[in-house]
Amino acid sequence: MASKWHQKKNKLAEIQFEKDLLSRPDDTTQEVRGLNDGESELFERKQSKEEKKAAAKAAREAKRKAKQASDDNDNDNDNDNSQQQANVNLHDAASLALEQTKQLAAATTSLAADDGLNHDASDALAASGTICTFASSARLVDARSRDVCVRNVTLQHCGAVLLHETDVTLNHGNRYGLIGRNGCGKSTLLKVLGARALPIPRGIDIFFLSEEVEPSSTLTALDAVMSVDEERLALERQAEDLNHILAELANKEADGENVEDGDGKTFEEQTEEIMESLNMVYERLDAMDASTAEVRARSILRGLGFTHEMQGKLTKDFSGGWRMRVSLARALFIQPVCLLLDEPTNHLDMEAVIWLEDYLSKWNRILLLVSHSQDFLNGVCTHMIDIHQKKLQYYDGNYDSYVKTRDEKLENQWKQYKWEQEQMKSMKDYIARFGHGTSKNAKQAQSKEKVLQKMVRAGLTEKPSEEKPLNFKFADPGHLPPPVLAFHDVSFAYSNCEPLYTRVNLGIDLDSRVALVGPNGAGKTTLIKLMAGELLPSMGDIRPHGHLKLGRFTQHFVDVLDMTLTPLEFFESYYPEDSREDLRKYLGRFGVSGQMQVRKMEEMSDGQKSRVVFAKLGRDCPHILLLDEPTNHLDMESIDALAAAVNDFSGGMILVSHDMRLISQVAKEIWICDNRCITKFKGDIQQFKMTMRDQLEKDHDKDAGKLRGDASTLTKSQDAKAVKPKVTKPASTPAQLPPKTPQVAQQEPSTVAIETLKIDDDAATATTVGASSTGSYVPPHLRNVTSSGGGGAYVPPHLRRKALQEQQS
């Protein structure tokens, strides 16, 4: 038993412990807060390089201010008020420019506590019926990350679950093709990503091509493309302001004026600070390749089919398809870290599709596209994402590799499933027979029962589910004697326009399988309209058979549908003599089955609407099918079903499409619409594609030294080669040496220049600075500076010393 002294000591210790416990902060509450808000609340975050530099600069500033205050107390010298006010104004202007520049560095350091969401856009999506949920992490999104990784994503649209607890992973440098059945949620997922309804690092800028550019009476196609790069325009203005401030400082220093600002910074300190910001702006412009902005914009527009005259045309004068091309050019020009494209080839001709395929195949950032063209996916994609059973399944390789891997995976799954089922059946039979027999058999049955339970706990292989195949079918229209549809010396021209066709002669029968190809604007759709009787020829005669019935699928197929009705109600209004059960079976044959039949068509995807139109087309029993871009919104399975239905069709077909795989499946002849006539191509579609690709390469090599734009052209004569200019080294005066000009001015002008250059040895000292495609960025105010000594911006001392060493050597 303890003595009274020990009891008293223990009691005092308990009282002191309770006081200490009440006085210190609650460790439990602090730990819970750390779990909710992330580890950054408990541990000090590691400072970045920019933050360390800013902290060191702030310490130096505070030290200078303290020293200046002590000097002011010791010395009672008064400065001139007007001079002091001028310096203060100059300091304010410099501070404003510096604050704008520091936003570049702040983008990588001040977003540590960002959740990566755009809450306003997410709320707008939720209001429209699209709801996206995901698993939030205790750690916040790192703004410097270049990959997208979101766990347990669930996506709903109008009450239908499209994705359920799946992972969204997009790695930098990969080009993904998103595929799946119509209505599975491909376009909805792109909308969610484009609206940042998922946590995406702020360092990843996203461009989602969703709508055409707005018609404008002031912007041309070229201006609309270049105006999208707002960051480049802001940086160029910022560089001009900083150079102007440097020039004023240098001039005051040369005149012997006092240039100290209100904080007591000397001339060297001010110039060093501004030059640091200016170099940061130049580095960003170099990364953006801003010196060749107009050249890149014109090259992209030309690749998408815009001639030089069309590039200077106002956007309000273009049709919707051409304005969509302008939007596509804007997306390619801005070069975002993550580019989202939904059916980018829908409004392109075959030549533009080939160019776009080559362009995107070199994309070295994140690309996620939805396309129905297997040939396009094979040429562009490095990875495939398949939406299957509300999950995202990732595959390496292009579309052909995906098909091979998927088939092998499905075959192995079938083998594993059958083996497990056979093993389970055998063990269950043994247990049922000998479970209550002799002791030896009973022990074996118990052992097999344990093995069976272990297999169930470990997880059994799911039975592979194969989606129901589509079965498009066009009914037999009956026989018509030829000629079914004939053109005799047909000419056509729209009012106040050049003729599209001149003296065209052709004939179409029930065994015709023709694919029309050619550039946009050559008259492919117009020829379809002439066949359908929607347009009348300017000259000549079109003679259809008296009993000919045409079935036409247009690019604006939604005009045929009533969006307020369901597919079943729509068919009942057109075919009241058919029973409801027969209509259900017929719609199901074209992939419109189940709940889709009783859903309003305004809530359906474009691919599902296309199926309804094809179902109506097959129900009408036409003799000749006129198909104008039928694959624009169909999935792969629907395109294969359409090809099989056309091959089984006993009537004729005229096809306008850029889908080379469909053309190779159904077309027996290829007609080229160009130069006001219709000519037959001798060969198949693959030979035509190779011919087009060779022609594009020849045009590229031919125009490699030309800039088709407002700027002049740099011509090179074969007899007299251009002489490399001799650049006079600028003087080492602070006010006349622009930053970064030593490495720009000494480069040989590239194939792209702002003015036509005729260079002689005698006139080499007055060389105009061009826009080099490989050199560093030249700001706008320096692009017309001659090397003979124009007034440029200030060069810091270390660059001056380097220039002097080069002169002495």
Side-chain angles (χ1 to χ4, degrees):
M1 183 174 179
S3 63
K4 292 184 178 180
W5 182 84
H6 286 92
Q7 292 178 1
K8 183 177 181 181
K9 185 177 180 180
N10 293 336
K11 188 174 182 179
L12 290 175
E14 291 177 1
I15 295 174
Q16 185 63 32
F17 175 76
E18 292 178 358
K19 289 182 179 180
D20 295 341
L21 187 63
L22 293 175
S23 61
R24 67 179 183 180
D26 192 355
D27 293 338
T28 305
T29 305
Q30 189 176 11
E31 182 66 24
V32 173
R33 178 174 58 84
L35 290 174
N36 291 336
D37 297 339
E39 296 179 357
S40 59
E41 299 291 339
L42 294 177
F43 303 100
E44 183 179 359
R45 186 173 61 88
K46 184 178 179 180
Q47 288 186 337
S48 64
K49 184 178 179 181
E50 288 79 5
E51 290 176 332
K52 291 180 180 178
K53 291 172 65 177
K57 185 180 294 183
R60 290 197 303 270
E61 297 261 343
K63 187 175 180 180
R64 289 196 197 99
K65 289 182 180 180
K67 183 178 179 181
Q68 182 69 25
S70 62
D71 292 342
D72 291 342
N73 293 333
D74 296 338
N75 302 324
D76 296 328
N77 298 330
D78 296 334
N79 297 326
D80 184 66
N81 293 332
S82 59
Q83 180 67 29
Q84 185 70 19
Q85 184 65 30
N87 292 336
V88 171
N89 294 337
L90 185 62
H91 171 66
D92 293 340
S95 299
L96 180 60
L98 288 175
E99 287 297 327
Q100 296 176 352
T101 307
K102 289 178 181 178
Q103 294 177 358
L104 295 174
T108 60
T109 58
S110 64
L111 295 176
D114 191 1
D115 58 359
L117 296 174
N118 186 338
H119 296 279
D120 294 337
S122 301
D123 294 341
L125 280 178
S128 63
T130 302
I131 300 176
C132 182
T133 61
F134 52 90
S136 60
S137 174
R139 294 184 179 181
L140 300 176
V141 178
D142 186 1
R144 292 165 291 185
S145 176
R146 305 202 306 175
D147 301 330
V148 177
C149 184
V150 189
R151 304 296 182 188
N152 296 338
V153 176
T154 299
L155 181 62
Q156 299 182 14
H157 180 68
C158 296
V161 178
L162 304 178
L163 298 176
H164 179 67
E165 294 185 357
T166 187
D167 296 339
V168 177
T169 303
L170 302 175
N171 294 326
H172 192 276
N174 293 343
R175 301 184 294 273
Y176 297 91
L178 184 61
I179 57 177
R181 284 287 184 98
N182 287 133
C184 67
K186 300 185 296 294
S187 298
T188 306
L189 179 59
L190 291 186
K191 290 179 182 178
V192 168
L193 290 171
R196 289 184 178 271
L198 293 175
I200 299 174
R202 293 295 180 187
I204 298 179
D205 56 315
I206 298 178
F207 194 101
F208 174 43
L209 181 61
S210 58
E211 57 185 8
E212 62 193 37
V213 68
E214 294 183 359
S216 173
S217 58
T218 57
L219 285 179
T220 64
L222 178 63
D223 295 336
V225 173
M226 296 189 65
S227 64
V228 72
D229 200 352
E230 299 177 356
E231 182 183 3
R232 177 183 57 83
L233 299 176
L235 288 172
E236 286 187 350
R237 289 193 298 267
Q238 201 169 328
E240 291 181 6
D241 295 340
L242 290 172
N243 277 290
H244 179 68
I245 295 172
L246 283 175
E248 288 187 2
L249 283 173
N251 292 334
K252 288 189 176 184
E253 175 70 12
D255 295 340
E257 300 179 7
N258 183 17
V259 294
E260 289 189 359
D261 60 359
D263 296 334
K265 295 181 181 179
T266 63
F267 170 72
E268 287 77 9
E269 292 171 347
Q270 294 181 57
T271 53
E272 181 181 358
E273 186 176 356
I274 297 177
M275 279 303 302
E276 183 180 352
S277 300
L278 188 60
N279 288 333
M280 188 183 300
V281 174
Y282 283 156
E283 289 174 1
R284 178 58 181 161
L285 287 170
D286 286 342
M288 296 171 60
D289 199 12
S291 59
T292 59
E294 182 179 351
V295 180
R296 290 189 293 110
R298 289 189 179 278
S299 174
I300 292 172
L301 285 171
R302 182 187 173 193
L304 294 176
F306 289 84
T307 62
H308 171 56
E309 292 76 13
M310 294 175 66
Q311 293 177 16
K313 191 177 177 181
L314 297 176
T315 55
K316 70 179 183 65
D317 298 330
F318 288 107
S319 63
W322 283 99
R323 287 201 298 271
M324 181 58 75
R325 291 194 186 198
V326 176
S327 294
L328 178 58
R330 287 160 61 95
L332 300 178
F333 174 77
I334 197 174
Q335 294 183 345
V337 176
C338 181
L339 178 60
L340 309 177
L341 301 178
D342 190 1
E343 301 288 0
T345 62
N346 276 0
H347 302 277
L348 304 181
D349 53 23
M350 197 165 294
E351 181 178 353
V353 170
I354 295 173
W355 177 89
L356 182 62
E357 178 182 331
D358 293 338
Y359 187 92
L360 292 179
S361 64
K362 303 177 182 66
W363 194 265
N364 57 0
R365 301 185 177 186
I366 299 176
L367 173 65
L368 179 61
L369 65 91
V370 176
S371 178
H372 60 268
S373 175
Q374 297 183 15
D375 191 72
F376 187 78
L377 292 175
N378 282 330
V380 173
C381 296
T382 61
H383 295 74
M384 301 300 299
I385 304 176
D386 183 19
I387 301 181
H388 181 68
Q389 294 184 346
K390 303 178 183 179
K391 300 287 186 181
L392 296 180
Q393 299 180 356
Y394 297 84
Y395 297 86
D396 295 338
N398 57 14
Y399 184 82
D400 288 343
S401 300
Y402 150 75
V403 173
K404 183 179 179 181
T405 306
R406 182 198 60 186
D407 293 343
E408 292 177 354
K409 182 180 177 181
L410 186 63
E411 182 180 358
N412 294 332
Q413 187 176 353
W414 267 115
K415 291 180 179 179
Q416 181 68 17
Y417 173 78
K418 291 179 179 178
W419 179 84
E420 289 179 354
Q421 295 300 317
E422 291 175 358
Q423 291 294 320
M424 291 177 62
K425 184 176 182 300
S426 175
M427 286 187 287
K428 287 180 179 179
D429 292 343
Y430 189 90
I431 295 171
R433 288 183 59 187
F434 303 105
H436 304 284
T438 63
S439 59
K440 181 179 179 181
N441 292 336
K443 289 182 179 180
Q444 291 181 352
Q446 293 175 1
S447 177
K448 289 184 179 293
E449 187 174 5
K450 291 180 181 180
V451 173
L452 180 61
Q453 294 175 356
K454 186 177 179 180
M455 287 179 60
V456 174
R457 287 196 303 268
L460 300 175
T461 302
E462 294 184 2
K463 182 180 180 179
S465 60
E466 298 181 0
E467 296 181 350
K468 184 180 179 180
L470 301 177
N471 185 22
F472 288 14
K473 185 177 181 180
F474 301 109
D476 185 5
H479 179 69
L480 288 180
V484 175
L485 183 62
F487 280 47
H488 297 281
D489 294 333
V490 172
S491 300
F492 179 81
Y494 289 101
S495 59
N496 301 325
C497 295
E498 293 290 330
L500 282 175
Y501 297 107
T502 303
R503 303 181 66 84
V504 174
N505 293 277
L506 57 87
I508 301 173
D509 298 328
L510 294 187
D511 58 351
S512 297
R513 295 287 192 276
V514 179
L516 297 177
V517 297
N520 274 24
K524 301 186 295 295
T525 301
T526 301
L527 185 63
I528 295 291
K529 293 180 179 180
L530 288 171
M531 294 178 180
E534 184 177 337
L535 296 176
L536 297 178
S538 304
M539 296 178 60
D541 188 19
I542 300 177
R543 301 175 185 175
H545 193 280
H547 298 284
L548 177 63
K549 187 176 183 180
L550 298 174
R552 184 180 171 198
F553 183 95
T554 67
Q555 297 187 42
H556 306 285
F557 60 89
V558 293
D559 297 338
V560 181
L561 305 175
D562 186 353
M563 294 296 145
T564 61
L565 299 178
T566 65
L568 192 58
E569 293 172 348
F570 176 75
F571 264 65
E572 286 178 341
S573 63
Y574 266 86
Y575 313 105
E577 68 279 3
D578 294 351
S579 64
R580 190 180 184 91
E581 188 65 25
D582 292 340
L583 293 179
R584 278 186 174 273
K585 292 180 180 179
Y586 190 80
L587 285 171
R589 183 184 303 167
F590 285 83
V592 184
S593 58
Q595 292 295 324
M596 196 186 306
Q597 294 182 351
V598 294
R599 183 190 303 173
K600 289 187 177 181
M601 286 187 281
E602 60 186 6
E603 300 177 359
M604 298 168 60
S605 67
D606 291 335
Q608 293 170 332
K609 297 172 187 175
S610 300
R611 294 182 186 179
V612 177
V613 177
F614 276 114
K616 180 182 182 301
L617 197 63
R619 179 65 179 77
D620 292 338
C621 299
H623 294 95
I624 294 180
L625 296 173
L626 304 178
L627 307 179
D628 190 1
E629 299 291 355
T631 64
N632 271 358
H633 302 284
L634 293 180
D635 53 30
M636 304 293 185
E637 293 78 9
S638 299
I639 294 175
D640 292 338
L642 175 63
V646 170
N647 290 329
D648 295 338
F649 181 51
S650 59
M653 181 211 64
I654 305 296
L655 172 66
V656 177
S657 177
H658 59 266
D659 192 334
M660 299 182 188
R661 184 171 179 271
L662 177 65
I663 294 176
S664 64
Q665 288 178 306
V666 301
K668 298 179 180 178
E669 298 179 86
I670 298 176
W671 292 357
I672 303 176
C673 300
D674 200 6
N675 299 324
R676 304 179 183 180
C677 62
I678 306 294
T679 56
K680 183 178 179 180
F681 180 76
K682 297 181 180 179
D684 58 12
I685 190 61
Q686 293 300 328
Q687 294 174 338
F688 177 79
K689 179 181 179 180
M690 296 304 299
T691 303
M692 293 287 295
R693 193 182 295 276
D694 293 341
Q695 186 63 35
L696 287 176
E697 292 178 356
K698 290 180 181 179
D699 293 343
H700 181 270
D701 296 338
K702 180 180 178 181
D703 300 327
K706 297 182 181 180
L707 171 61
R708 293 190 176 183
D710 297 333
S712 301
T713 306
L714 177 63
T715 57
K716 294 185 178 180
S717 175
Q718 296 180 355
D719 299 331
K721 294 184 179 180
V723 182
K724 184 176 180 179
K726 297 180 180 179
V727 181
T728 304
K729 292 184 179 180
S732 58
T733 321
Q736 300 208 3
L737 277 177
K740 294 202 170 192
T741 49
Q743 72 181 84
V744 176
Q746 292 178 5
Q747 292 177 353
E748 182 179 2
S750 66
T751 57
V752 178
I754 301 302
E755 297 180 4
T756 303
L757 305 180
K758 295 181 179 179
I759 303 171
D760 298 325
D761 290 338
D762 298 335
T765 57
T767 308
T768 302
V769 178
S772 173
S773 61
T774 58
S776 299
Y777 172 75
V778 181
H781 67 288
L782 294 179
R783 292 174 185 168
N784 296 324
V785 176
T786 60
S787 61
S788 58
Y794 174 77
V795 168
H798 67 281
L799 289 181
R800 272 184 276 166
R801 288 193 297 269
K802 184 177 180 181
L804 289 175
Q805 292 175 1
E806 292 178 355
Q807 290 179 356
Q808 293 174 1
S809 62

